[in-house]
Amino acid sequence: MKIIISNSSPDPIYEQVTRQIKGQIISGDLKEGDPLPSIRKLAQDLQISVITTKRAYEELHKEGFVDAVEGKGSFVAMQNKELLREKKMKLVEEKMIEAVEEARLLGITLAELREMLTLLFKERD
Amino acid sequence: MTNAIEIKGLRKEYKGFTLEDVTFDVPQGYIMGLIGPNGAGKTTIIKLLMNLIRRDAGEVRVFGLDNLRHEPEVKARIGFVYDVPRFHDDVKLAVIASAVAPFYKKWDDALFRRLMEEFELPAKTTFKKLSHGQKMKFSLALALAHDADLILMDEPTAGLDPVFRFELLERLRAIIQNERKTVLFSSHITTDLERVADHITFINEGRIVFSAAKDEVLETWGVVKAGPDVLRPTDVPGSRGAKRTDYGIEILTSDLARARAELGGRAVYDKATLEDIMFYISRGNGHA
């Protein structure tokens, strides 16, 4: 598992943790049943508050990415294929919202943005 | 959540300084940072916890026990590290340890020797030959070796170089890997607390300003910045302190989201660091 915490990011730290773990579950780097480090261990390793990792795990649990087993810890939950795709779509959507907001701030029009996206998409084909 | 410490209505009066109405809890299994400018009352609170000075009013419970009525039991479970550890100068560390050990039922000699090795402390050296950082570590090793459930430290990082400070903070995180253990430490070095504390209690001029989860504080507080004559501190919801210059005004708020919603484009909004909070609050509203 790979997690990088940025102190200069505008996102709260718990969100950075959830996003990265989620990403690795969706990409398949973390697989069903894989154990996650304990809340306290992760906090120590990342040098962040126990409350932060606790909140991150709670979010993952709420969204169905992680199962908490009493006395044993947290594990990557069984992922429904369709649900997974939906989650991935949602992730793409979130990134696009970000791009749209940035574009708005800069006064980029929809047509210009569409053009940029088309170019980028083709470039990576 | 169980609390390791519960403090209610604590009061201590000195000539020219009064600690007043101090109420907060320290949840078990976490690191609580006691933060505030010099002279705010941090050391007074810690001394009252340890019953080193007499309180004028209020109540302190440690692990549910009154700290005066059950003083021996309470103290057996506390590892107290002074800001300047003091032991006999010409005595070897191993000898100091064997003098301290009989006072604690749960003294673990093997653990103590392991910690001495880990902290790279030579047992055969005399106390006076240690650097300030080494004295701090030695003092912490003593506290840990009697399996204290509550580690209480007064300004442990003051006067330590960054490498030592970092090591010490890492050590504090390691302590609470065991969720029965609790750490309370005071500091005026806000970055230390930003790094390791789970909860923050902020004290200023003898009174508690807030006691909350660190993440919550860092997410809700902020600094509102605007040009000169655009905003007064009273215009900003949750205003807690301000700084004026010729070029503008900066106002600390305890509710950044509301300030942003109400003031919109009239200002610029930044998150507040603990240092910001300490600076603006100790400065007060407006008189710049």
Side-chain angles (χ1 to χ4, degrees), chain B:
Chain B
M1 203 183 308
T2 23
N3 291 320
I5 308 175
E6 289 169 350
I7 299 175
K8 275 198 197 81
L10 199 58
R11 182 186 160 86
K12 174 75 188 173
E13 209 176 316
Y14 288 110
K15 205 176 258 172
F17 172 78
T18 306
L19 186 80
E20 204 163 13
D21 199 23
V22 166
T23 299
F24 68 96
D25 297 334
V26 181
Q28 185 175 12
Y30 294 97
I31 298 174
M32 162 78 79
L34 192 57
I35 171 185
N38 286 330
K42 303 184 295 284
T43 302
T44 307
I45 291 177
I46 288 178
K47 281 184 176 161
L48 286 167
L49 274 170
M50 288 300 289
N51 195 27
L52 298 174
I53 49 174
R54 194 152 286 287
R55 67 194 179 207
D56 296 327
E59 196 188 357
V60 176
R61 289 182 168 273
V62 181
F63 305 113
L65 301 171
D66 186 280
N67 78 324
L68 302 189
R69 234 174 313 143
H70 300 273
E71 190 170 342
E73 287 138 280
V74 163
K75 282 198 174 164
R77 293 177 68 183
I78 297 180
F80 183 35
V81 179
Y82 290 84
D83 53 349
V84 185
R86 266 170 291 238
F87 292 99
H88 283 294
D89 262 351
D90 294 315
V91 181
K92 288 177 180 149
L93 302 189
V95 178
I96 295 175
S98 53
V100 168
F103 288 101
Y104 296 100
K105 260 189 228 147
K106 287 160 93 183
W107 179 266
D108 182 341
D109 213 46
L111 173 62
F112 176 73
R113 281 196 299 263
R114 212 160 57 236
L115 287 166
M116 290 287 282
E117 236 167 73
E118 213 178 294
F119 292 168
E120 293 172 353
L121 294 168
K124 287 186 182 126
T125 308
T126 56
F127 186 70
K128 72 172 169 203
K129 288 201 181 128
L130 300 183
S131 70
H132 176 53
Q134 284 176 314
K135 285 180 182 172
M136 216 68 213
K137 281 185 176 175
F138 176 61
S139 194
L140 184 61
L142 290 176
L144 294 172
H146 74 80
D147 195 27
D149 291 322
L150 171 63
I151 302 289
L152 200 58
M153 307 175 98
D154 191 16
E155 296 275 357
T157 54
L160 295 185
D161 71 50
V163 179
F164 258 100
R165 263 172 54 208
F166 209 88
E167 255 184 72
L168 184 74
L169 296 174
E170 247 177 27
R171 191 70 222 176
L172 297 187
R173 275 245 153 275
I175 292 170
I176 62 150
Q177 286 298 299
N178 179 341
E179 52 197 87
R180 283 189 306 108
K181 309 265 175 189
T182 307
V183 176
L184 171 64
F185 81 106
S186 70
S187 181
H188 64 276
I189 305 172
T190 50
T191 47
D192 287 349
L193 295 154
E194 226 148 280
R195 195 169 284 138
V196 302
D198 297 302
H199 296 93
I200 302 276
T201 297
F202 182 85
I203 177 159
N204 189 45
E205 292 176 353
R207 285 168 179 275
I208 299 287
V209 179
F210 61 77
S211 182
K214 179 192 68 190
D215 290 4
E216 193 189 308
V217 173
L218 295 180
E219 273 170 42
T220 50
W221 290 64
V223 180
V224 177
K225 300 175 179 175
D229 311 320
V230 176
L231 287 176
R232 284 165 303 166
T234 45
D235 296 330
V236 178
S239 160
R240 300 302 285 269
K243 186 182 89 171
R244 278 195 191 85
T245 68
D246 289 346
Y247 312 103
I249 187 166
E250 299 179 2
I251 301 155
L252 176 77
T253 168
S254 58
D255 194 345
L256 186 64
R258 222 182 98 211
R260 195 196 303 258
E262 278 184 26
L263 303 168
R266 291 164 70 195
V268 168
Y269 307 91
D270 275 347
K271 285 185 180 177
T273 60
L274 292 177
E275 194 167 58
D276 290 331
I277 295 175
M278 190 153 104
F279 170 74
Y280 290 101
I281 284 190
S282 59
R283 189 172 176 121
N285 254 341
H287 33 259

Side-chain angles (χ1 to χ4, degrees), chain A residues 9-14 38-55, chain B residues 28-30 166 169-170 173-179 181 195-199 213-215 219 271:
Chain A
S9 160
D11 300 330
I13 293 171
Y14 85 90
S38 81
I39 287 169
R40 280 172 194 270
K41 181 75 175 45
L42 186 64
Q44 184 182 21
D45 291 347
L46 296 177
Q47 301 271 316
I48 57 179
S49 163
V50 175
I51 294 175
T52 312
T53 47
K54 207 176 227 173
R55 184 159 169 201
Chain B
Q28 185 175 12
Y30 294 97
F166 209 88
L169 296 174
E170 247 177 27
R173 275 245 153 275
I175 292 170
I176 62 150
Q177 286 298 299
N178 179 341
E179 52 197 87
K181 309 265 175 189
R195 195 169 284 138
V196 302
D198 297 302
H199 296 93
K214 179 192 68 190
D215 290 4
E219 273 170 42
K271 285 185 180 177

Side-chain angles (χ1 to χ4, degrees), chain A residues 1-2 23 32 38 48 50 57 66 71 75 110 114 122:
Chain A
M1 199 164 88
K2 186 178 110 190
E32 255 174 60
S38 81
I48 57 179
V50 175
Y57 276 27
V66 160
F75 300 87
L110 175 60
R114 201 179 277 148
K122 282 187 181 150

